[in-house]
Amino acid sequence: MLRLRSSILTHILSSPTTSHVPSLHRLISSAAPAISSSPRFTVEDYLVDTCGLTPAQALKASRKLLDLKSPSRPDAVLAFLAGLGLSTADVAAVVAKDPRLLCADVEKTLSSNVAGLTGLGFSRSEIARLVLLGRERFRSRSVVSQLQGYLPLFGSSENLLRAILFNTNILTYNLETTVKHNLVFLQECGLGPCDITKLCVTVPRMLTASTERVQAMVARAEGVGAPLGSPMFKHALRAVAFLSDEKIAARVEFLKKTCRWSDAEVGIAVSKSPAVLTSSEDKVQRSSEFLISEVGLVPAYTAHRPTMFSYSLEGRLRPRYYVVKFLKANGFLDRYRSYYSAVMVTEKVFVEKYICPHKEAAPHLAEDYADACRGQVPMRFRFE
């Protein structure tokens, strides 16, 4: 009978529609008397056969379910999860991370939380994501009030879920204590509501850090050349928030060596684009080599235009250089037109200004540019 129940639940969990949930309840109810009196029920078997855990996961999870003697409540929880649209793999992942979820009261807690979150504007799929992200917090009756407090800060349920993805601790902190103190401090630093929202979405760990640590982050942002109130301060704060002074110093030395910048030039570059402190070393090294050796830009020039290092070498820097060089070589573009101006415009504007006007004179230009963006170098772009 246990195997029969397991096969029923596994079938339901693997089906995408929620219309099976009522039939699942009927099947469980019809089998309940036989199961409740059966001595064959074991937690580990249930976790493997019905929930999809591996034997090793089941052994670990079963230690947190010593009081579970019957499958009736877990069956109801699994039916609830199926109703939310969670797949078999999702259910296995959730149960492995939070085995006690199987002991939750569906009516008093789980369904009540779903109703509350729906009232806040969360969609069914977002609630399912929250189950996956929130783990044990989802079975807490306070989760609705917590998320209600966070929504105005993040602006939307999507932004809030994105933040939880990178910092599940958000759901464990009291909004009125640590979080509120950090928000007040950031406002005192000159950041407006929109700036704080973007910062919280991209660096959500800042919300739950100690106020002393956030103060240290601000000091580091100022230390790299972005004073309070400056347009670059919010970008610098995002870049250095979780970098130690030692890592920043090491990164500065790397930039000086790789980009051939002086102390003054690296200071200029970082103050103009703090993101260079967090770009991968491989990306910076390859981009610098291309800009200096192939494009022919001098280090002082790139130091004053460090945003170029934030763009893809293969998808932007190199293909656009080929187009500009081709146009200049064939007399279609003023030879004094800067490569930088071509790099900085959006893709749409670049095509309108550098590709479309030459459709008749250079009919293959658009195709060659597209090939270059895919990493291929057309013969027409190969110059001696």
Side-chain angles (χ1 to χ4, degrees), residues 174-187:
N174 189 330
L175 183 63
E176 294 300 315
T177 54
T178 301
V179 175
K180 188 172 182 179
H181 292 162
N182 288 340
L183 294 177
V184 171
F185 177 67
L186 291 174
Q187 288 176 333

Side-chain angles (χ1 to χ4, degrees), residues 92-165:
V94 169
V95 173
K97 292 176 181 177
D98 180 27
R100 294 298 302 177
L101 178 64
L102 293 175
C103 301
D105 189 307
V106 171
E107 294 302 322
K108 292 183 178 179
T109 303
L110 302 184
S111 294
S112 176
N113 285 347
V114 168
L117 293 171
T118 301
L120 294 179
F122 284 82
S123 66
R124 203 76 170 173
S125 62
E126 287 176 330
I127 295 174
R129 284 175 59 194
L130 185 60
V131 172
L132 291 168
L133 296 173
R135 303 179 187 178
E136 69 276 4
R137 295 304 302 170
F138 186 78
R139 54 184 171 85
S140 168
R141 295 184 183 182
S142 65
V143 69
V144 176
S145 59
Q146 279 185 306
L147 295 178
Q148 184 177 19
Y150 276 118
L151 271 176
L153 171 62
F154 286 93
S156 70
S157 55
E158 179 61 32
N159 284 342
L160 179 51
L161 286 173
R162 192 181 309 159
I164 294 173
L165 174 63

